[in-house]
Amino acid sequence: MSDIWNKLERNLAAAGDRRILSLFDDPERFGTFSAETDGMLLDISKTNIDGDALSLLIRLAETTGVAKKRDAMFRGEKINVTEDRAVLHTALRAPASDPLMVDGKDVRPPIAETLRRMERFAEDIRSGWITSSTGQSFTEVINIGIGGSDLGPAMAVRALAPFHDGPRCHFISNVDGADAADTLRDLDPRRTLVVVASKTFTTIETMTNANTVLKWLRAALGEGAVSHLAAVSTALDKTADIGIAPDRVFGFADWVGGRYSLWGPVGLPIMLAVGPEGFCEFLSGSHALDRHFQDAPLNQNLPVLLGLVGIWHRNICNYPTRAVLPYDQRLARLPAYLQQLDMESNGKGVTIDGQDLPRPSGPVVWGEPGTNGQHAFYQLLHQGTEVVPAEFLIAAESHEPDLMEHHDLLKANCLAQSEALMIGRSFETAKEIAAGLGFDGDERQVQAAHRTFEGNRPSVTLAYPKLTPFTLGQIITLYEHRVFVEGVIWGINSFDQWGVELGKELANALLPMVRGAPAQGKDASTRGLLRKLSG
Ligand code: F6P
């Protein structure tokens, strides 16, 4: 296997300062370096990966056992070894068919039953059949959760705005009281349903926010407050502790990772917003991508190709970050969602066997929607000293037929950015521009230097027909499996998250000190800051 890594490194070295643009001398390049499934196209041709490098990357996927591990995941094997768990979020979106056994039990019937209960509950809330304690229909829903119990539904609810025909959804996640205060300020408790979402039902932020919101409900509704609550969790015993009625509790199994959980009950706000039919479309899009990941040959397999581009940029080119740039305002929260999906999964320093990794793993993932980012950080993308591979997302069609002009501008800008990153602008051209602006002599050189773009900066583009529930399911699943592919190649466990624990433990220990207890055993900086914050 190290042979393949070496060959990939040699491939890059041999390419020297080859321009990506020169790869398009091959008239077939766009066709060879793009792949499509169910109307969604991934273009990886604007990278410096040539035919040999792509073959080597595919061999890397083969020899590291991507397909074998993928099949093990779908079969329900316990590939999350540090937590001794299967990884079966894929089962949440698969049609109930053949039995799928985990620990000797078929997991399909409970998944189907929970989905039916969610549908009934969502319909009853949406139709007004279930009313509030004051006999009014619920027009508002607050989801209280954090991390995977917030980012997925918050991102998806926003993405599917054109399909909203249910109550309005609000999200409280941060333990900062500002989040609860600002959300509750404009809401009427008599018309507000509260979903407390937490896989473990122990997360301090969520429990604190749930108590605050429960007090808010109680102040207005007295004992009726409890009937405004629903819960989503794997810890069914704990949901009873805050008095939530069992028929308002939607459970899921521990083999659904938090950051992979929006396909099940954690997706309840999505279902409340767009209805059960829309939610099932969302699941169908996801399942279609699952099938594609399982069935398509590796060189036509979107998650595999996207993962291999990630490996190329991270390990062969040594780029430390990647930017996700949706030219789709409704995907504004996608970068934040992907930060958890990607960085909590692959931000690891040891292999599955606990050995130090031989090469860097997950990059920093960041981004913002275009065109807004263009007027902010794109300066660095084009002329900064770090190369940041960019990942553009764009729909062929918008939801605003009356605003065609906007969408045309959006498309033109998206295409312009990937083109500009690739072609750049030479010093010679910049000099001509400077001359045209009236600069001469040394000043022309200086002005030209500032107007030069080295270009040759890679990007990929994901183009889809329209942002629908189906497409959104495809997009999220593409990224889930991309993270999987990269994790397998790095030899890490993408499904645990031990790195979040230390900070939680220290916060528990610091809380009494924040409240005035002596800061024993703390370093001088922490002591000094405690003093400063005590007032
Ligand atoms: O602290 C990280 C984490 O455990 C995430 O993995 C998870 O999505 C989030 O906290 C919330 O956890 P829970 O759903 O159990 O409240």
Side-chain angles (χ1 to χ4, degrees):
M1 196 182 332
S2 60
D3 182 41
I4 303 178
W5 287 109
N6 293 340
K7 283 185 177 157
L8 280 164
E9 274 154 19
R10 282 206 296 276
N11 175 289
L12 182 71
D17 54 6
R18 177 183 68 199
R19 307 291 295 178
I20 296 171
L21 194 58
S22 72
L23 295 170
F24 287 92
D25 292 347
D26 169 7
E28 304 299 323
R29 180 163 174 91
F30 177 71
T32 321
F33 286 78
S34 62
E36 202 163 344
T37 180
D38 278 320
M40 191 167 80
L41 176 122
L42 175 68
D43 173 22
I44 62 166
S45 63
K46 288 197 186 92
T47 64
N48 218 330
I49 299 173
D50 61 18
D52 289 343
L54 186 59
S55 306
L56 286 165
L57 288 164
I58 301 269
R59 267 180 52 209
L60 190 64
E62 285 164 354
T63 51
T64 49
V66 168
K68 214 165 128 223
K69 192 91 175 255
R70 170 199 66 197
D71 295 343
M73 173 172 76
F74 278 92
R75 266 199 310 273
E77 283 178 27
K78 295 193 173 178
I79 61 168
N80 176 1
V81 288
T82 57
E83 296 181 315
D84 191 30
R85 286 176 183 162
V87 173
L88 270 181
H89 48 280
T90 52
L92 297 175
R93 56 229 190 181
S97 53
D98 301 339
L100 181 57
M101 308 303 284
V102 176
D103 289 331
K105 287 198 191 109
D106 184 4
V107 300
R108 302 255 195 231
I111 294 174
E113 171 57 15
T114 305
L115 183 59
R116 265 196 304 276
R117 287 186 52 232
M118 283 169 65
E119 287 173 347
R120 222 173 301 133
F121 181 66
E123 271 312 356
D124 288 350
I125 295 286
R126 287 161 52 84
S127 67
W129 174 255
I130 295 182
T131 58
S132 76
S133 59
T134 54
Q136 291 162 291
S137 57
F138 286 109
T139 55
E140 317 293 328
V141 173
I142 303 176
N143 186 80
I144 303 177
I146 196 163
S149 299
D150 165 73
L151 287 164
M155 178 271 289
V157 164
R158 181 162 183 175
L160 298 178
F163 300 88
H164 289 193
D165 56 3
R168 291 188 308 158
C169 292
H170 313 265
F171 294 85
I172 299 178
S173 53
N174 200 327
V175 77
D176 184 346
D179 204 2
D182 291 352
T183 307
L184 299 179
R185 185 171 305 124
D186 298 327
L187 296 182
D188 179 353
R190 292 168 305 174
R191 313 207 65 160
T192 304
L193 176 76
V194 175
V195 179
V196 184
S198 174
K199 180 174 170 179
T200 55
F201 235 70
T202 55
T203 305
I204 192 77
E205 291 92 333
T206 301
M207 296 305 114
T208 306
N209 279 322
N211 280 328
T212 299
V213 174
L214 189 51
K215 270 190 219 146
W216 174 77
L217 287 174
R218 280 215 170 100
L221 310 168
E223 280 317 298
V226 171
S227 67
H228 287 232
L229 297 180
V232 169
S233 186
T234 57
L236 302 186
D237 49 331
K238 297 197 178 77
T239 59
D241 294 348
I242 55 171
I244 304 177
D247 64 331
R248 296 285 180 85
V249 176
F250 302 90
F252 58 104
D254 67 1
W255 38 252
V256 179
R259 54 193 174 273
Y260 299 90
S261 62
L262 79 171
W263 313 106
V266 169
L268 187 59
I270 310 171
M271 194 189 266
L272 285 162
V274 306
E277 217 175 294
F279 188 76
C280 288
E281 274 291 294
F282 176 58
L283 298 186
S284 301
S286 176
H287 179 64
L289 211 294
D290 281 339
R291 295 304 308 265
H292 168 79
F293 182 43
Q294 289 174 283
D295 297 341
L298 298 189
N299 64 357
Q300 285 301 306
N301 195 308
L302 271 68
V304 172
L305 292 172
L306 193 56
L308 294 176
V309 170
I311 295 287
W312 169 261
H313 287 148
R314 182 74 189 102
N315 298 114
I316 309 303
C317 306
N318 287 316
Y319 301 144
T321 85
R322 60 180 167 231
V324 180
L325 308 167
Y327 276 66
D328 201 322
Q329 183 60 23
R330 296 194 175 100
L331 290 179
R333 292 295 284 160
L334 183 70
Y337 170 80
L338 292 181
Q339 283 179 328
Q340 187 196 15
L341 177 65
D342 202 321
M343 294 161 78
E344 201 174 63
S345 299
N346 284 346
K348 308 282 167 64
V350 295
T351 63
I352 289 188
D353 304 330
Q355 306 299 313
D356 287 345
L357 287 178
R359 51 186 63 81
S361 62
V364 174
V365 178
W366 59 284
E368 272 287 315
T371 59
N372 295 27
Q374 291 176 203
H375 300 273
F377 56 81
Y378 277 39
Q379 166 63 41
L380 183 149
L381 298 189
H382 288 288
Q383 289 186 315
T385 50
E386 277 305 337
V387 173
V388 180
E391 303 189 353
F392 296 99
L393 294 96
I394 178 102
E397 203 187 321
S398 79
H399 285 279
E400 286 72 33
D402 299 343
L403 302 175
M404 278 296 285
E405 191 194 337
H406 289 248
H407 202 63
D408 290 347
L409 277 165
L410 191 69
K411 284 187 204 170
N413 273 277
C414 181
L415 295 174
Q417 292 301 324
S418 65
E419 186 185 4
L421 286 167
M422 176 172 69
I423 65 176
R425 178 195 283 151
S426 69
F427 184 64
E428 285 313 309
T429 308
K431 262 198 318 199
E432 283 164 26
I433 292 170
L437 291 169
F439 295 108
D440 52 22
D442 287 351
E443 189 57 13
R444 183 181 296 171
Q445 304 286 324
V446 172
Q447 291 288 342
H450 286 279
R451 287 170 166 77
T452 300
F453 294 64
E454 70 182 18
N456 222 23
R457 300 193 167 201
S459 68
V460 299
T461 299
L462 186 68
Y464 43 91
K466 192 173 185 174
L467 190 60
T468 61
F470 186 91
T471 317
L472 183 66
Q474 286 178 296
I475 293 172
I476 300 169
T477 306
L478 166 65
Y479 275 96
E480 281 182 354
H481 293 325
R482 178 269 187 102
V483 167
F484 176 88
V485 168
E486 292 178 337
V488 174
I489 292 175
W490 286 319
I492 61 188
N493 181 2
S494 301
F495 299 102
D496 59 12
Q497 56 283 319
W498 300 108
V500 302
E501 294 304 324
L502 179 58
K504 288 185 193 171
E505 283 166 28
L506 294 180
N508 286 338
L510 274 159
L511 187 57
M513 300 175 203
V514 167
R515 290 176 173 155
Q520 271 162 3
K522 294 294 167 192
D523 58 84
S525 162
T526 307
R527 284 201 310 273
L529 291 169
L530 275 167
R531 263 197 313 279
K532 177 70 187 162
L533 295 173
S534 71

